[in-house]
Amino acid sequence: MSDHCDERATMIAAGDLQEFAPRGREQSRRHPSALSLQLRRLQPAPELCSSDGAAGLVGSLREVTIHDRHRESWQLRKGISDVGEEVDYDEELYVASNVVIWSKGSRSQASAVYKAFTVDSPVLQALWCDFIIPQEKVEKADVEKCICILQNSCINVHSMEGKDYIAALPFQVTSATLFEHFASHLCFPALEPLPTMFSMLHPLDEIAPLVCKSGVFGSCRVQYVADPTLRIVFLSAEPSIVMTYDTVQSLHTVWALRRVKPEEQSLVLKFPDQGGTPQHMATSSSLTAHLRSLSKGDSPGGSPFQNYSSIHSQSRSSSSPNLQSRSPTISNMAALSRSHSPALGVHSFSGVHRFNFSSSAQSPRRPSVTHSPNSIANDSFLVPETEPIVPELCIDHLWTETVPSMRSKNSQASKVFISTDLCGQKFLCFLVESQLQLRCVKFQESNDKSQLIFGSVTNIPAKDAAPVEGIDTLLVLEGSGNLVLYSGVVRVGKVFIPGLPAPSLTMSNPMPRPSTPLDSVSTPSKPLNKHLGPLEESVLLSPVPELRDSSKIHDSPYVEDCTFQQLGTFIQALRDPVHNRVTLELSNNTMVRISIPEIATSELVKRCLQGLKAILPKETAVQMLVKWYNAYNAPGGPSYHSEWNLFVTCLMNMMGYNTERLCWTRNLDFEGSLSPVIAPKKARPSETGSDEDWEYLLSSDYHRNFESHPIAKALRLDPLEVSASRDDFSQSLSLDSSTLLFSHIPAIFFVLHLIYEELKLNSLMGEGLRSLVVLLVQLARDLKLEAYMDYYYRDYPALVKTSRQTCIIDQVQTGFMLHPSFFSAEPPSIFQWLSSCLKGEGVQPYPYLPGICERSKLVVLSVALYILGDESAVLNEASHYLYKITSGQRNTSVSSLAEKLVLWMTSVGFTLRDLESLPFGVALPIRDAIYQCREQPSSDWPEAVCLLIGRQDLSKQAWEGSLQKGKSSVGTVPSSDIPSAAESEEDEDGMNDMNEEVMSLIWSEDLRVQEVRRLLQSARPVRVNVVQMPEASDHEYIEEKENRLLQLCQRTMALPVGRGMFTLFSYHPVPTEQLPIPKLNLTGRAPPRNTTVDLNSGNIDVPPNMACWASFHNGVAAGLKIAPASQIDSAWIVYNKPKIAELANEYAGFLMALGLNGHLTKLATLNIHDYLTKGHEMTSIGLLLGVSAAKLGTMDMSITRLLSIHIPALLPPTSTELDVPHNVQVAAVVGIGLVYQGTAHRHTAEVLLAEIGRPPGPEMEYCTDRESYSLASGLALGMVCLGHGSNLIGMSDLNVPEQLYQYMVGGHRRFQAGMHREKHKSPSYQIKEGDTINVDVTCPGATLALAMIYLKTNNRSIADWLKAPDTMYLLDFVKPEFLLLRTLARCLILWDDILPNSKWVNSNVPQIIRENIISLHATELPSSEDLSLETLAQAHVYIIAGACLSLGFRFAGSENLAAFQCLYKYATDFLKCLSAPTASITGLYNLETCLSVLLLALAMVMAGSGNLKVLQLCRFMHKKTGGEMNYGFHLAHHMALGLLFLGGGRYSLSTSNSSIAALLCALYPHFPVHSTDNRYHLQALRHLYVLAAEPRLLTPVDVDTNSPCYALIEVTYKGTQWYGEATEELMAPTLLPELHLLKQIRVKGPRYWELLIDLSKGTTHLQSILSKGGILYVKLRAGQLSYKEDPMGWRSLLAQTVTHRSSEARAFKAVRRLERREMSETFELWQMKLVLEFFSSRSHQERMSRNPTRGLFMNSEFLPVMKCTIDNTLDQWLQAGGDVSLHSYLSGQAPEESQLSMLACFLIYHSVPTPGQLAAGGLEGSRNFSELLLKLRRLHVPVRALLRLAPLLLGNPQAMVL
């Protein structure tokens, strides 16, 4: 019974025990559904249910009857966090009837329901699923995490993103299994001999059948899996395999699952009647038949799949001929369906018909009818609609279990899982419950990774089993009720569960043996013992391939009696293993959850175990780990602190040491050392006590600590001398060479040394280092490794001297030791390696253990890259153990090295926390690189890099950039925060969603924003201030008030256009609320009694429909508040439609606005059609313009059709004439221009050219408002050919410029070609025009068309056509306002000639006018016969206005100072003109027009800047309400005001061609006379300025406080023909100049970290920043305050950042400690040495010489001081007797103990070679210094060290003083 004694020793204590009940059960009772009511009624059933075959899928509910039990099941998995960090909780999916509850909770039982789903029919199964969404260009596909809920007829899929899919199932489902490889596949064995297994790769894809590939000798067959006897029992994603069970043969088979190859698809889909076989001979059950024939034993030696022909006898006639009748076409439905929205995905199943394979079938599940072959063939051709479904997955046969000698019918595996053993070998384990066996098959990948190789089966007797993934073991429940832990097939030990009685004690035991109660472990009856004895032994010793007498177990009666006759509670089953937790089902219907303990908790032990695993052979490693696990996890085992001590003892015992006799291991203190495992080992044979106990006490750590305690010194206690204990020297200890790890000692030693070096790189592991070095010293001494001994002495001088005891290893035994090839005689030292690198010496490759020495690898590579400049270091993986790093030639620019290093470090996952735990000397090169990158970062680095270099501003920028946000993240006020209407009146003015925070930064010193709001609000009644004259009656007074109100209303109605500009794109609407449209208030209040004045009183005549365009503009203004980034859909747009007819105009404007900000493309075509058919004129105008603006320049066909219906000229000549309102035609024509903008589309251009001169027709058609139509055609023609100039390809025959010139100057009408000539034959009955062109109608359109076609082309010949006439005779022929247009057009063509000064403006005025100009202040007029002074004066002001307007276009949005001053001068001149006596000649109307044009030009130049002078002008004009001031002038003035504050200062104007075209439409310099006037220009076009607005505000946001702040930026302009490259400093937030003018933008110091945005590579990055609200994240440097808190910069600390200070401080401490000679370890001295070497290294010097201005990383004064202090301290020691101990060290004798620490410091600091190396260098013969110098150069001894060593080596110790 030896192994039972062993059993007792190897009990493993399980962790805390907890009652377990699925969390969903409690929740579902509370869940408001019918199910909960039923559950409450059910009483717990008395009888017990044994676990059935479905235990793997269904957790049985104990409290309900067997009948109701299927209603409840659950499954658990390890919690997955969204971010990807480790989390320690379980997630549970609980199913009861038709409710699925997903909850999360941790061991502390705090659980929360995450989601609950209720479906219509009972849920068969619910599972987690990851579908993979294939990406086009990206290499790693996206994973969509979902929950699948399987019902009888369909699957519901709910994804984490909130998408829901429903996939119908075209057949009954027996079970579904989950798989997550390429995506989730659900496999449904169906109920008929059609294909029986199906997969679904995405919820929108078809359910496709699986195919299998089988066959030998290349005669491969690919066919559908159509065997009803195959059942899927297991699927796994990693590796991708399926396990099936054949119910007929009772065999398990493993298949590899993969995607189908295209050629296999085509094979399956072809007709399989090759070679003329009768069709139904190709039976569907061929696969089963293969296996059958094998099981009959035909050829046991051959492959399981034989030749196809041998199967005919076994084929079953009932198989339905399903493979032949599929037609060979391939369905593309799945490919299509994936592009639909989820809701449309369902229709891709064409129902059951997909599976009806012959036309005579009534249902797919019909009894199998045997057709004759012919009838089938005919059927298959008669039914074309049954196309086959393309298979997506294929299974390849991998392994089938061997046929057992006695096959029992039901041996299907009830549980299958993959388990990994402690060394990473994988086993596929399946539990056959009927035979109480767990079968484990080892498998591994083949060398080329292409397939899996399966080994032999090992049977473990088990009633149940579960994997414990957290610690790579599996838990087995034996038939007797014991829980045993296995690693792979190696038994680890029995699990002892505190609180549960062991089964053996509660059983009725027939033969009690009181002497050893535990001997009778698990023996209910003798037979069991007999069978289990040998089995356990064999399992312990070696994994046996197959148990010979396994069949006997089945006959023996033990199975029954041990399962049902025990008393008390015992474990019935195991379920729900998650990480290291598992649930036990007990026999008394309760469940408890236990956790299996970890293999190690201390970081150090984990590291060492990992290293040993990597280096030892697998079998040895597993045995070693099992022994350790048992020792560590014994009940009442050690606490955390003594874990290392336990590990050392355990390891040394396994290496053959006698830890009892070895002094230092004997004193290792195990807390809780009375644990049952160790107690027997520690017991001493004598009970009386001995001297040893006293010595034990004296040599204990406690005693040593006490002696060195200051109190001991104060009390003058004499130190007690420990007499050298007898066994230290008297007898030498030898090692037991028969132990497990003896032969591997050198390998273990070397690995532990590498771990020691690795731990040096983590300053948090200092404690572990000291523990480890003691073990290493012992091993090094015993292995006689002098170099290593010396090395450890130098590291820990104080520790090493204390341990002296050696163990002798026989020479003979040394032969048994395996010295691995990688073992080096010189100890590898990471600090030494770095030091050599810094000094530029050649370096050996550094040994590296993959997975364990990751830090060493990282440091070595980063230094190789950054110091040696070898870029290949980080590119390729070198050999297995070693990183071969050659010191290559440096070849790259140094700055990019820092960048490369930082980028590489982030790619390997290095973070700031890692950096902080690196020792500062080692980290210095890395910190230096980081410092360099922090100073000059690149704006396109990934987020992790920015975090590493401490630039969160950049990382946040990158993150925001990748985030598609609806809201701009700074300062947008969500609508819920707006106070209610009762609180303040201001809220309804439509301007309350502006970003106050940013605006208060831009205009911080005054209240101009409030003033603008006051000027532009139109929601409150105006103040009507009329004084009642004494002679006026009350009635007259009321009329006067109302007339005055009418005047004021002209202004109020003009306000919304300006308000739309001010609030442009400032609001993100809430999708559930309507857009608030402020009402247009046309009433007034008269002081003093504040009486209401109303226009509808009937006292005065009010024009009809006066306010209809005003409310249209009001709607546009409200709609333009919506930012383009908002989330808006078609439903919301329709939802905003007003119920009241009066508001239809506002809604029309709202639609136009949605088009301008791009949202109208989302409106469904159906709704557009709906709106247009209503025939509401305004709605049509708004909709047509909006849709065209949204499709700008796209030539979209559907929109073209929509517009063409409204333009008679674009309809075919025979079409019926539609009665389209004139204004709608105008809008449609402009719409055509927008949709075809810049395309130079020939047909469109031809029609529009003709339309400019469209003559009036008979019957009054086209007779009113002809001017606006002609202008619209001209503007549209200009847009279509925008900027093409003379390159109009294919239009030369149209003579566009000549025709336009004729329209402009008049002449005979040409005969009109084209299809519309029929209509124009009869002239109009109203207007007599004759055959000449009516220039008054056609000139404006033609002029602007020329301007736009030749825009910026600098074409002189065309420009000369547009020159103002210079003779009086010709001047009389041209309307003065047309001179404005001509001047404007001419200047736009000669774009590059425009100069911002008055000289250039005046140069546009012809000679004759300049000579006869009247001074503005003249009192009397000169008289003249031949000159009409009126004409000249009018021509003069209009030409000046035209030139100034072109100046506005040229410098739009530039805030050009010269342009502003020039325009401002002219504007003030015109203002003076108005009040001058000569104003009557020019005409007040003309002067007002010109003044308005100038104001607009000024506002264009200063767009978005909120310039105070222009604001004052606008406010002055706002106040003028009487006289000539009509609606149009107010419109112009308030548009100027709106432009000035465009988008609340966030937007500016662009000067691109398209923008200029839009601005020409919007700012056309002829203003309407009254609010319904559209004669010359359609008012709706005023809003097209939106197309010219672009976001250009750059707002710095402090990344730490997340609020906008001031920052200094430097803008660099590219050089142009007018100015060279220039830089300008701006204080952001500021509007940037146009991006194409810029070279780069820099955030300047010293307050904030610098940041460079380089625009030479492209402006897309900056554009995306600006379009997302212009947020530029900046980071305040340490010790600086923001400009708001500290405007002058006087309060900042002139301090360096914190990190540098702390590392300097640390170094200083170390220097002080060295001065006081208290260095017990030399770790910190190494760091200082590395710091000094780094700053004197060549690479650092080169960097400094390249960039002398760069700030030093450490204070330059600090380094020499530190170096000097260390040198002095060491030299003083040398003079004060240190030379003696140095001499004895070099000659190989032991120096005295007091000097040891300082000696080690000297050796390290001066890189003194070891005595061994000196001896090998042959220095004995040296006589003089030069000889010594030569020899020591080879050993890389620095000269400063040589100077100090020379006197000693030359044998003259006195001459040490230098």
Side-chain angles (χ1 to χ4, degrees), residues 123 134 395 427 628 644 766-767 868 970 1093 1136 1590 1671 1705 1850:
V123 176
I395 52 177
F427 293 84
W628 157 247
W644 170 251
E767 201 46 53
L868 304 178
V970 176
V1093 186
N1136 271 291
E1590 58 175 10
I1671 294 165
L1850 295 172

Side-chain angles (χ1 to χ4, degrees), residues 1185-1205:
L1185 281 173
V1187 171
S1188 320
K1191 295 280 187 187
L1192 186 69
T1194 55
M1195 301 216 288
D1196 185 289
M1197 270 324 289
S1198 54
I1199 307 296
T1200 309
R1201 288 192 206 107
L1202 191 69
L1203 295 166
S1204 303
I1205 297 169

Side-chain angles (χ1 to χ4, degrees), residues 1189-1384:
K1191 295 280 187 187
L1192 186 69
T1194 55
M1195 301 216 288
D1196 185 289
M1197 270 324 289
S1198 54
I1199 307 296
T1200 309
R1201 288 192 206 107
L1202 191 69
L1203 295 166
S1204 303
I1205 297 169
H1206 299 86
I1207 306 175
L1210 281 172
L1211 292 173
T1214 53
S1215 60
T1216 51
E1217 289 196 9
L1218 300 165
D1219 187 21
V1220 182
H1222 180 264
N1223 284 342
V1224 178
Q1225 291 189 27
V1226 174
V1229 167
V1230 176
I1232 284 286
L1234 289 167
V1235 175
Y1236 283 86
Q1237 188 184 81
T1239 56
H1241 186 267
R1242 151 108 197 189
H1243 175 63
T1244 316
E1246 183 177 4
V1247 172
L1248 291 171
L1249 186 60
E1251 288 300 285
I1252 296 178
R1254 174 173 79 170
E1259 313 289 346
M1260 271 305 287
E1261 49 193 331
Y1262 316 145
C1263 289
T1264 51
D1265 295 355
R1266 295 170 57 206
E1267 291 86 348
S1268 63
Y1269 186 84
S1270 175
L1271 173 68
S1273 308
L1275 288 170
L1277 173 64
M1279 285 191 204
V1280 173
C1281 308
L1282 186 62
H1284 277 273
S1286 308
N1287 311 336
L1288 288 172
I1289 297 160
M1291 291 197 211
S1292 48
D1293 57 323
L1294 292 181
N1295 298 331
V1296 180
E1298 291 84 351
Q1299 179 73 52
L1300 288 173
Y1301 180 67
Q1302 195 188 15
Y1303 281 144
M1304 196 170 70
V1305 295
H1308 276 283
R1309 180 180 284 119
R1310 303 214 181 139
F1311 176 68
Q1312 222 180 350
M1315 44 190 179
H1316 289 281
R1317 47 177 186 268
E1318 303 306 321
K1319 288 189 180 172
H1320 301 310
K1321 278 196 173 156
S1322 54
S1324 162
Y1325 306 147
Q1326 299 285 328
I1327 299 173
K1328 178 116 180 83
E1329 275 191 352
D1331 57 354
T1332 52
I1333 289 171
N1334 184 344
V1335 182
D1336 287 345
V1337 174
T1338 58
C1339 177
T1343 311
L1344 290 183
L1346 273 175
M1348 284 153 84
I1349 295 175
Y1350 287 93
L1351 180 65
K1352 300 185 188 173
T1353 53
N1354 300 309
N1355 185 322
R1356 296 253 165 227
S1357 51
I1358 301 286
D1360 287 343
W1361 289 354
L1362 295 163
K1363 230 181 177 154
D1366 46 4
T1367 65
M1368 194 63 225
Y1369 175 73
L1370 288 173
L1371 268 176
D1372 273 336
F1373 276 99
V1374 186
K1375 261 185 166 179
E1377 13 182 329
F1378 291 174
L1379 284 174
L1380 187 155
L1381 292 177
R1382 284 196 192 182
T1383 312
L1384 172 64

Side-chain angles (χ1 to χ4, degrees), residues 814-841:
T814 318
F816 290 130
M817 289 196 185
L818 307 165
H819 275 271
S821 52
F822 50 81
F823 194 91
S824 61
E826 283 303 314
S829 159
I830 187 76
F831 292 161
Q832 189 55 56
W833 193 94
L834 294 177
S835 173
S836 307
C837 266
L838 290 168
K839 287 191 277 193
E841 301 163 359

Side-chain angles (χ1 to χ4, degrees), residues 634-871:
S639 69
Y640 181 83
H641 297 292
S642 53
E643 188 177 330
W644 170 251
N645 297 345
L646 181 63
F647 174 73
V648 169
T649 315
C650 200
L651 180 68
M652 295 193 66
N653 282 333
M654 284 192 264
M655 291 196 288
Y657 280 92
N658 181 345
T659 47
E660 299 304 310
R661 309 281 303 282
L662 197 58
C663 180
W664 65 274
T665 49
R666 184 174 56 209
N667 299 341
L668 285 177
D669 159 43
F670 304 105
E671 293 168 15
S673 63
L674 293 178
S675 76
V677 181
I678 309 161
K681 299 180 189 167
K682 295 290 279 191
R684 289 275 177 280
S686 77
E687 296 300 317
T688 53
S690 68
D691 294 351
E692 277 185 14
D693 298 343
W694 175 243
E695 284 159 17
Y696 171 74
L697 196 61
L698 287 184
S699 54
S700 67
D701 284 345
Y702 179 81
H703 172 70
R704 214 172 307 147
N705 292 347
F706 183 77
E707 276 198 340
S708 58
H709 198 280
I711 297 179
K713 291 197 183 84
L715 297 173
R716 294 203 173 79
L717 296 178
D718 294 334
L720 289 163
E721 276 305 313
V722 188
S723 62
S725 68
R726 285 166 315 190
D727 50 13
D728 277 14
F729 295 113
S730 55
Q731 60 191 102
S732 52
L733 300 171
S734 61
L735 269 67
D736 174 5
S737 59
S738 63
T739 47
L740 178 65
L741 300 180
F742 176 78
S743 56
H744 301 290
I745 291 178
I748 291 173
F749 169 71
F750 194 67
V751 170
L752 291 176
H753 176 80
L754 288 182
I755 291 174
Y756 169 74
E757 290 296 321
E758 170 78 358
L759 294 181
K760 278 186 182 178
L761 296 179
N762 189 341
S763 48
L764 305 176
M765 295 293 287
E767 201 46 53
L769 271 175
R770 284 175 215 109
S771 317
L772 188 53
V773 79
V774 182
L775 174 61
L776 287 170
V777 167
Q778 180 68 52
L779 292 175
R781 189 178 288 117
D782 299 342
L783 291 170
K784 304 194 178 60
L785 298 167
E786 288 299 327
Y788 283 87
M789 287 295 297
D790 183 73
Y791 178 71
Y792 298 134
Y793 154 66
R794 289 184 182 202
D795 277 352
Y796 285 98
L799 271 180
V800 173
K801 67 184 178 201
T802 54
S803 46
R804 287 268 167 73
Q805 186 182 15
T806 36
C807 299
I808 310 292
I809 301 178
D810 297 357
Q811 282 305 307
V812 187
Q813 293 179 347
T814 318
F816 290 130
M817 289 196 185
L818 307 165
H819 275 271
S821 52
F822 50 81
F823 194 91
S824 61
E826 283 303 314
S829 159
I830 187 76
F831 292 161
Q832 189 55 56
W833 193 94
L834 294 177
S835 173
S836 307
C837 266
L838 290 168
K839 287 191 277 193
E841 301 163 359
V843 282
Q844 290 297 311
Y846 184 79
Y848 151 72
L849 262 179
I852 295 149
C853 299
E854 286 304 320
R855 278 218 161 171
S856 315
K857 165 187 166 184
L858 186 98
V859 168
V860 163
L861 292 190
S862 48
V863 168
L865 170 69
Y866 192 60
I867 305 298
L868 304 178
D870 176 22
E871 291 187 36

